[in-house]
Amino acid sequence: MEIAIGFQTSLKPSISLRNPNFIKSSYTNSSILLANQILGLGLSSSVNTSRNLKLNNRSRFSNRSSINCAVSAATEPATETTQLVRRGDVRNIAIVAHVDHGKTTLVDGMLRQSKVFRDNQTVQERIMDSNDLERERGITILSKNTSIFFKDTKINIIDTPGHSDFGGEVERVLNMVEGVLLVVDSVEGPMPQTRFVLKKALEFGLSVVVVVNKIDRSSARPEFVVNSTFELFIELNANDEQCDFQTIYASGINGKAGLSPENLADNLGPLFEAIIRCIPGPRINKDGALQMLVTNIEYDEHKGRIGIGRLHAGKLQRGMDVKICTSEAECKFARVSELFVYENFSRVPVETVEAGDICAVCGVGDVQIGETIADKAVGKPLPAIKMEEPTVKMAFSINISPFVGREGKYVTSRNLRDRLYRELERNLAMKVEDGETADTFIVSGRGTLHITILIENMRREGYEFMVGPPKVINKRVDDKVYEPYEIATVEVPEEYMGSVVELLGKRRGQMIDMQGLGSEGTSIVKYKIPTRGLLGLRNAMLTASRGTAILNTIFDSYGPWAGEINTREHGSLVAFEGGTTTSYALCSSQERGQLFVRPGMEVYKGQIVGIYQRPSDLSLNVCKRKAATNVRSNKEVSVVLDTALDYSLDDCIEYIQEDELVEVTPSSVRMCKNPKIAFKKK
């Protein structure tokens, strides 16, 4: 096997910390000795004293043996028990990154070059984003499995979401893998979600291969990105072996990769080689009792519920009797009716699955995520999946507007309750609680986008309901109120920097970093800001920066209450009469502010029809008709109306305040005043 040793001398933060012309490896004394014997080299490595001090005494990952990236697995320390062995023919990896850093596009290239598709087969872009909502928004929402073969080795790949609100999907699937591909943009470098997914991977003790993607961009700065990534490893208390990560430079859209940014191969071969060399095979108990942790759920109209997970020990066969355990005291029995493995972008039925592989199991009834499929006689449950707590909550209730039942199929509180609690079966990062009344439910999630995706899916399924404004989940410690804080990273052109800084300052944000991005004329600022201050911030920031600012956030920690924050400076225009809007009424109404409605639209009393210019609310009549008299005018007066604002579901949820609601139906999204709360008048 090819031997390559990476070493650094006199590392300093101000210079390049990694040599792209060498393959970085996680070496031990024994691996260096082996390299000396084979290559005849006298390798000496000296590492910065400060780095050694930071990386000493790392016992938290001692449960996993060190993985030698570029050295044969035979040189691993023989500290494992005789029952645990590593499979050499399987690699289980997850591809993790910040949103829009090119994970799914890179998977496309890996699938194409592995000959998963025919040469003449038409394949859409971002094939892993199979959900309609994912394709519309251009983001990955759900983690998905596939597999490829490279040199007789099966590589199980899990594509994960890049948005911080869907971090629960990442936390779940890391139980199934031994390593991750950390994809980092060649210009932006490590971003907030990069930090989150890397932190989770290091906590699990996983091997990491860093992929600097989009290396073909004209403003690419690979040296800065690799150094920033290395510093991030140090900040997250990575051990010595994890800090010596392998770096691959790639262009996912062109299907090229290499060990240096100037010398890319014509294919992704170097990436595949790095996966085989640097990601260890699964450690299994081949002859032990059956154990499989269910980490994902799918549903098929014919097969019913399908449990997906990695087989940790033993062997699973079709027709086998098993028990499903939540804990040792809570177990139920089932029989495996069908068994599948993932091959070339599809599920393939098999008779037997050996430990270490990822499989899908049918016939196990109402199995839940986090449960263990174990041997019927002596099987024991695996540790449950742990999730971080949600930070934002919203109130869901039945539709109480005059238009109730016109567009939706499911409108009762029973329909709403069943659907929300059914969501918990798959979405472990979400919580649902009964509200103060029988028709109100409190839904908690990682962020507003996390809950908004659920709302969008429900309206497409035919549900009709109302949602209240998002609220942060506070904690009380020693009679003091603590609220969630997030790290907000904003990329903005320098000419709009002042407006963005002023906006973040008004929302109790504290600047922690500012840096230039290079030739593109943009700068990056980082703020620590209360989650309350982020509610409604995105639209305000786009307005202040003329649509050029890019905002990314990630949860940081809980901190003391920051004080009152005014998230909206304008009131609402409210219809005080129901009916059909007219051009005559809208012509005079638009002088009061910006309207949401156009002529000919039906509105009801209490519906929000626009944004008022002042902080208070104003009731007006948008259905008034021109008086019909027998007095003729000399000429017809033409009415010129401004273009109405077209708010999406996300925009409406950001806009509403404490005394307002969003009415969600399959065909429409409207805003109205909460009839149970008196609204602000002029």
Side-chain angles (χ1 to χ4, degrees), residues 152-170:
D152 299 326
T153 300
K154 180 181 180 180
I155 304 176
N156 288 310
I157 301 173
I158 304 176
D159 186 24
T160 63
H163 200 286
S164 58
D165 283 23
F166 309 111
E169 292 283 316
V170 180

Side-chain angles (χ1 to χ4, degrees), residues 623-635:
C623 303
K624 183 171 61 175
R625 296 181 177 276
K626 187 176 182 179
T629 68
N630 59 355
V631 179
R632 294 185 179 181
S633 60
N634 293 329
K635 64 176 183 178

Side-chain angles (χ1 to χ4, degrees), residues 403 407 602 604 607 661-663 665 668-672:
F403 293 170
E407 302 170 354
E602 281 194 272
Y604 54 83
Q607 181 176 335
L661 299 170
V662 176
E663 178 190 357
T665 72
S668 309
V669 177
R670 308 181 188 93
M671 291 179 287
C672 67

